[in-house]
Structures are given as C-alpha cells and as structure tokens.
Amino acid sequence: MSETSTQQQHPWRSAARTALQTAVVLVAAAIVAGPEIAAFVEQFWPGSPVPAWIAAAVAFLSAASGLLARLSALPAVDRLLEHIVRLGSAPGVDRANTP
C-alpha cells in the first residue's frame, strides 16, 4: 500500500474534481436564485450585463477552487498544511485522536 495520497498521485484529477464540485454548487445556487436576480436586474437595470457577470463569477470561482486543490496537492504545501492546521492528505493518520 502506498503512503502517498491519491491527491498527490493524481493532482490534476483532484483539481478537476474540486472545480466540478464547486461549479455544480454555484450553478445550483444560480438556478435557485436566478429568477429573483433576473427580475431584480430587469426592473432596476434593464439590459444590464449582470447575468453575464454571474456566469463569469461561476467560471472564475470554479477555476480558482481547482487551482487551490492543485496547489494543495504539492508535497511541500501538503506538509505545510499538515504541520500548521493538520489538514494534510496523508493516508492512515488518525487526526481525531491526535493532540
């Protein structure tokens, strides 16, 4: 069994998974709040590019979360995360019972 986490073995897969998860949540939020936002924008700012800005924000935040996931998979960053906040990706570490 390897002592390297799957995040470190496949960092781009982990980053893509995180970006997709973020996009799903943001798109779902936009779908739920979309009609209210669209009505508000159309009432006060007809022809406004706000919907395009919302779509751009979804894309940007998804990409940014994927980038952060990729950076977190770097061994040096993973060691730093484990040392500072005990959020490393090492398998088999029981953080619940570690002081």
Side-chain angles (χ1 to χ4, degrees):
M1 183 173 183
S2 174
E3 287 298 318
T4 305
S5 69
T6 56
Q7 287 85 358
Q8 290 179 353
Q9 291 174 357
H10 308 285
W12 287 110
R13 188 181 305 168
S14 175
R17 191 171 45 242
T18 300
L20 178 64
Q21 292 165 347
T22 303
V24 167
V25 169
L26 292 173
V27 167
I31 288 171
V32 169
E36 289 81 15
I37 293 171
F40 179 82
V41 168
E42 197 56 40
Q43 180 181 359
F44 293 103
W45 302 295
S48 173
V50 169
W53 279 97
I54 292 172
V58 167
F60 173 78
L61 292 171
S62 298
S65 67
L67 175 64
L68 288 174
R70 174 61 182 101
L71 292 174
S72 296
L74 294 172
V77 175
D78 187 61
R79 284 191 303 272
L80 182 67
L81 287 171
E82 182 62 42
H83 180 70
I84 294 176
V85 290
R86 298 196 324 196
L87 290 177
S89 63
V93 177
D94 185 9
R95 289 175 186 83
N97 295 324
T98 304

